[in-house]
Amino acid sequence: MNNRGSIIVAFIFVILISFIGISLLTFSHTHNKIAGARARKILSTGKILQDLVYYLHQCRERIFAENISASDQPETEIFNSDFFPDLNIDGTEIGNCIAYEETQRQTHKKVRIINLIEAASQRNNYGYRSAVNIDVLSGEIPVDEFPVLIEKKIDVPVETYLEEKKIKNKSDKKVVVEETGAKIDSPRFLSDAFQVPLPGELNWEVIREKLGLETVEAPIEDGIHLLLVDDRVDLIFIQGDVERIVFSAREDVQEILFIKEGTYYEISYRPGEYFFQCWDSGVPEYCLFKEVILVNGDAWSIEQGLETAFHGTAAIRLFVSHFAVITSNLESDNFGSGTNMVQFMLFNGGQGLPGHEGIESGIVIDAAGEETKIEAALISKGKITNHSDKLNLSGSLYAADVENLGEIEVTHAKAKVDMSPYFVSGNYRYISNFFIDFIEEVYDEK
Amino acid sequence: MIKGFSLIEVFVTLSLSLVILSIVLYSVAESTKYSKKITGNQQVMESIFHTIDSLRSDLTKCGMRLQEASKHFDISLFENSGSSFKLVYGLQSEALKAEAYKGETTVSIDRNDYFKKRKTVLIYNIENKTFEFNEIEEIDGDTLVLALALQNDYPEKSCIVVLKRVEYKLYDKENVLKRKLDRGYFQPIVENVSDFSVTFFPDANSVLYRVEVNEREQIRGYIFLTNMVQK
């Protein structure tokens, strides 16, 4: 009897322990299966991603190593299925699907090469997908598309030249130093600014007529004039040298102060709006200023008045026919917020105004302090000379030559106003953009 | 007399039964406790794994399909502050099939399943240097009806990207890490979180994250944001 009782108790005990053990083991088994599946997925997808990123990296290296300017149609002659071959990298199959999108611009065309790349494992269903976009510009390319374009023939590689000149390119675009046959069409820019149909028709008589002065074929006297058309101020024309041009962004207005022969001339306006206050009380306040300033002479000091020079919505084009000297920082109050485009374009030199053939011109940066920050597109038909210890230029630089007595660091940003057809390269091919639009797992949540 | 048990036999039997029952009950209680502990730990680990997988997946996508736009326009792709962060990426992009003018509220695209009602979209054109955010109010075939009138003109082939915004936030009082998608509510993703931090390294396009649960289990990781390589 005692023996039978012990067996029953032991049996109950074994059942209870087994039940607990089995449930524990079952849960652990499920957990282990989940953990195992996760580990396998991480390993597999990690390998595919690694192979894909390596392939993309190789693509990038090869794209930027290509000399596309030698090809008439680089988009199809170079960037085709031979350039992007289908591969098998250690069990990861990589397939390419290439498409082209062409956009015709005023003086050039942009072809976007879109390569949809799929990377899949041969061993399982995991995969990644990516899209590489390459923008190739062909034709007469606006000079602000290049971080630095120096229209000059050199005997050394560009990298060596930049090192010698102490120019650092902080953008992913290539610096171009060669004779592209660039067109710095100041005459056309000036005739369009004066609204004269043909550049050859721009003479003193026409300028006088436009500015409301006596129409005789003689240069106008030194001074500052406004070209008023209906309720617009199309441009400000400064005849002769100007000592200082001071830009200041103050709350919702842009201020510009001109100091010429000791006299102060100040304007303030709201960019893009009908609000314009001028030293000349005869000019109505309800005017739209088109933000074009022409200096027929030298501008000895272009500077920033307040903490920032340019209002967030401004797009100022300053043309200086002789020498333009920048003597301080020139910064916008919202560069890098909104659009990453520069709001100040300084054009310098070139023919266009009557009596200007063969006059020497150039842009000089001569600001005090250790570091000078300029946000602008600097375009000079002559030479750009930097005297600052360190010049941080956000924007672009075009010149026939550069003389650098300090360091120049260029971070590329396009100009807010279209440069074509006035300031463009010769017939050229250029990779303006390379980016990986996305890298994603193929079967992912929507 | 022969059939019955003596008083001593009954006492001994009952005592032995009591001892055996006590041992059994103790063993069962210990086993249950141990079982609960193991399953609890495993559940915590699974929820941490799930959290990390979601977090890494979202971080990897950050900036996806917004490379070009973020290069030219000021679009914040990643923001973090202490124990929370938010990111944005593009689910799908399409080109406009026809020009869209300022003041209009419709755009035409080749419709796909990603463009849904109430989704936020980014419309931009690099050449015209214009961009804006909007929201899909209605869908009529290939025409998207937008909630707001366009603020700029957009030529044909301008880009429209349907966006996804993801936000993670640690609720300190509840010790719960929650995740929010677009305009939805914050949904709990893991409980008993004693610490959560995310640090962004913009120069390296990388994020260092740390999740600690029950002041014990910790997972740290460093992830390279592959979809933000360009900037």
Side-chain angles (χ1 to χ4, degrees):
Chain A
M1 194 65 191
N2 280 341
N3 288 342
R4 214 186 300 159
S6 300
I7 288 164
I8 291 165
V9 170
F11 185 66
I12 292 166
F13 179 75
V14 166
I15 287 174
L16 280 168
I17 296 296
S18 304
F19 181 75
I20 293 161
I22 285 166
S23 55
L24 190 64
L25 282 172
T26 310
F27 189 85
S28 296
H29 181 63
T30 312
H31 172 77
N32 287 341
K33 273 173 79 175
I34 292 168
R38 180 178 177 271
R40 278 194 298 279
K41 184 178 183 284
I42 289 171
L43 280 173
S44 301
T45 52
K47 186 192 175 303
I48 301 166
L49 182 62
Q50 201 176 356
D51 291 339
L52 177 64
V53 170
Y54 178 64
Y55 181 77
L56 292 170
H57 177 70
Q58 281 185 318
C59 284
R60 189 187 187 282
E61 294 288 303
R62 288 169 57 223
I63 287 163
F64 283 98
E66 280 292 332
N67 177 19
I68 67 161
S69 57
S71 170
D72 276 344
Q73 285 194 312
E75 57 275 11
T76 49
E77 287 172 7
I78 296 173
F79 303 121
N80 49 33
S81 54
D82 292 335
F83 192 87
F84 299 109
D86 293 349
L87 290 177
N88 187 318
I89 307 171
D90 190 25
T92 304
E93 284 187 338
I94 292 185
N96 298 271
C97 180
I98 304 164
Y100 302 93
E101 269 179 18
E102 188 176 318
T103 314
Q104 192 64 46
R105 312 303 302 174
Q106 201 172 355
T107 55
H108 68 283
K109 71 172 179 181
K110 181 179 99 177
V111 179
R112 172 162 290 183
I113 301 133
I114 304 162
N115 186 12
L116 191 68
I117 303 168
E118 286 203 349
S121 171
Q122 282 181 315
R123 302 182 189 104
N124 48 51
N125 292 327
Y126 302 127
Y128 271 88
R129 187 167 49 194
S130 179
V132 168
N133 289 12
I134 310 158
D135 290 342
V136 175
L137 305 181
S138 311
E140 294 174 349
I141 303 163
V143 292
D144 66 320
E145 288 282 356
F146 305 86
V148 177
L149 171 57
I150 301 170
E151 189 75 12
K152 184 184 179 183
K153 194 177 177 184
I154 53 170
D155 302 324
V156 292
V158 175
E159 290 73 23
T160 313
Y161 176 83
L162 294 177
E163 212 166 294
E164 283 171 2
K165 291 280 180 184
K166 291 186 181 173
I167 300 173
K168 275 187 194 166
N169 176 24
K170 296 280 280 180
S171 66
D172 54 355
K173 289 183 168 186
K174 268 188 174 180
V175 167
V176 177
V177 186
E178 65 179 84
E179 286 179 334
T180 68
K183 293 176 185 170
I184 302 303
D185 198 352
S186 309
R188 191 165 170 189
F189 172 74
L190 294 169
S191 61
D192 281 357
F194 274 104
Q195 294 182 13
V196 175
L198 292 170
E201 291 174 6
L202 192 66
N203 54 39
W204 284 120
E205 199 175 338
V206 171
I207 292 172
R208 280 173 168 275
E209 187 191 334
K210 292 279 179 184
L211 297 176
L213 304 170
E214 187 190 358
T215 52
V216 289
E217 183 49 54
I220 58 176
E221 285 180 11
D222 277 13
I224 303 184
H225 309 270
L226 272 69
L227 175 56
L228 267 165
V229 179
D230 302 326
D231 49 6
R232 294 191 323 265
V233 178
D234 278 358
L235 60 86
I236 293 173
F237 183 76
I238 303 172
Q239 174 63 18
D241 296 353
V242 58
E243 285 103 87
R244 290 170 69 193
I245 302 177
V246 186
F247 296 97
S248 308
R250 191 191 295 275
E251 293 174 1
D252 61 340
V253 294
Q254 173 69 49
E255 294 177 349
I256 307 174
L257 171 70
F258 306 98
I259 302 173
K260 185 170 168 54
E261 291 164 10
T263 310
Y264 285 55
Y265 304 84
E266 189 167 12
I267 60 163
S268 64
Y269 64 96
R270 291 199 190 108
E273 291 181 34
Y274 283 81
F275 177 79
F276 183 81
Q277 288 179 328
C278 179
W279 72 87
D280 182 353
S281 54
V283 178
E285 199 173 285
Y286 185 78
C287 269
L288 175 75
F289 181 39
K290 292 183 82 177
E291 302 185 280
V292 177
I293 302 161
L294 308 178
V295 179
N296 189 24
D298 297 304
W300 293 119
S301 178
I302 298 166
E303 56 195 274
Q304 176 171 293
L306 298 170
E307 280 184 8
T308 53
F310 311 113
H311 186 267
T313 53
I316 300 165
R317 282 150 288 170
L318 171 64
F319 174 86
V320 180
S321 65
H322 298 184
F323 278 96
V325 185
I326 298 170
T327 56
S328 77
N329 290 347
L330 290 175
E331 294 176 278
S332 307
D333 67 0
N334 74 341
F335 181 72
S337 61
T339 56
N340 297 330
M341 290 166 196
V342 292
Q343 295 165 277
F344 179 58
M345 288 127 274
L346 176 58
F347 312 129
N348 168 253
Q351 295 171 1
L353 287 160
H356 268 258
E357 292 77 12
I359 282 176
E360 202 183 350
S361 60
I363 295 174
V364 179
I365 296 112
D366 192 8
E370 285 180 3
E371 195 173 349
T372 309
K373 287 183 181 175
I374 295 176
E375 291 159 11
L378 304 179
I379 297 161
S380 174
K381 192 157 187 179
K383 188 162 74 173
I384 291 184
T385 309
N386 174 44
H387 290 284
S388 299
D389 291 344
K390 189 174 181 187
L391 168 64
N392 268 322
L393 174 68
S394 297
S396 58
L397 184 154
Y398 169 86
D401 198 3
V402 173
E403 187 185 342
N404 186 16
L405 305 175
E407 280 180 36
I408 302 177
E409 203 171 87
V410 183
T411 307
H412 181 247
K414 285 169 74 170
K416 207 170 177 182
V417 177
D418 200 355
M419 296 275 178
S420 56
Y422 313 116
F423 309 105
V424 292
S425 71
N427 192 7
Y428 200 70
R429 315 276 176 272
Y430 187 65
I431 296 172
S432 78
N433 209 359
F434 168 89
F435 64 94
I436 296 160
D437 196 23
F438 61 85
I439 300 173
E440 64 181 353
E441 273 193 66
V442 178
Y443 303 109
D444 214 340
E445 67 172 9
K446 217 182 235 186
Chain B
M1 279 299 280
I2 298 166
K3 285 179 184 174
F5 294 103
S6 70
L7 196 60
I8 292 170
E9 282 175 331
V10 170
F11 280 146
V12 167
T13 310
L14 281 173
S15 301
L16 282 172
S17 301
L18 201 66
V19 168
I20 291 166
L21 198 65
S22 302
I23 293 167
V24 168
L25 285 174
Y26 179 77
S27 301
V28 169
E30 280 299 302
S31 301
T32 311
K33 202 172 140 188
Y34 187 61
S35 163
K36 275 183 183 170
K37 194 178 170 184
I38 289 175
T39 51
N41 282 348
Q42 285 171 341
Q43 275 170 345
V44 169
M45 287 314 288
E46 268 172 31
S47 57
I48 292 175
F49 285 157
H50 171 68
T51 306
I52 295 299
D53 288 349
S54 302
L55 194 128
R56 287 183 70 91
S57 171
D58 289 331
L59 285 171
T60 308
K61 289 176 190 165
C62 178
M64 194 165 81
R65 294 192 173 85
L66 297 171
Q67 287 273 22
E68 187 182 35
S70 61
K71 195 174 172 183
H72 291 90
F73 309 117
D74 181 46
I75 297 168
S76 176
L77 302 176
F78 186 92
E79 284 174 43
N80 69 319
S81 57
S83 56
S84 72
F85 74 91
K86 48 185 156 184
L87 57 90
V88 64
Y89 61 88
L91 276 174
Q92 188 58 276
S93 61
E94 284 292 337
L96 297 192
K97 278 168 48 177
E99 283 180 83
Y101 297 102
K102 187 177 176 178
E104 288 182 352
T105 53
T106 57
V107 290
S108 180
I109 60 160
D110 280 328
R111 195 190 154 191
N112 61 52
D113 292 342
Y114 292 91
F115 287 83
K116 289 176 183 165
K117 200 174 161 180
R118 297 197 69 203
K119 285 276 181 191
T120 307
V121 290
L122 166 71
I123 310 167
Y124 69 89
N125 186 283
I126 300 296
E127 274 75 26
N128 289 10
K129 300 153 180 115
T130 49
F131 78 104
E132 61 193 83
F133 291 97
N134 214 315
E135 189 186 302
I136 302 170
E137 195 167 81
E138 287 290 336
I139 298 168
D140 181 13
D142 281 353
T143 304
L144 303 181
V145 180
L146 303 170
L148 304 167
L150 291 171
Q151 292 167 24
N152 304 289
D153 292 337
Y154 292 95
E156 192 185 341
K157 291 184 184 173
S158 295
C159 196
I160 179 165
V161 188
V162 60
L163 301 178
K164 187 158 186 169
R165 294 176 196 277
V166 185
E167 194 170 345
Y168 284 77
K169 190 175 179 183
L170 173 67
Y171 282 71
D172 288 333
K173 286 179 186 170
E174 303 164 43
N175 286 346
V176 178
L177 179 65
K178 295 185 180 182
R179 178 176 180 250
K180 183 177 130 175
L181 296 177
D182 294 325
R183 287 177 160 194
Y185 297 105
F186 275 101
Q187 302 288 343
I189 185 165
V190 61
E191 293 176 342
N192 301 320
V193 180
S194 39
D195 190 29
F196 173 69
S197 65
V198 167
T199 315
F200 180 48
F201 300 95
D203 293 338
N205 276 324
S206 305
V207 164
L208 181 70
Y209 59 83
R210 180 176 181 272
V211 182
E212 186 189 87
V213 177
N214 288 331
E215 295 183 343
R216 202 167 49 214
E217 287 86 4
Q218 287 181 12
I219 292 194
R220 297 175 195 202
Y222 187 71
I223 187 165
F224 185 64
L225 307 180
T226 46
N227 277 291
M228 279 179 67
V229 175
Q230 200 67 34
K231 273 200 115 172

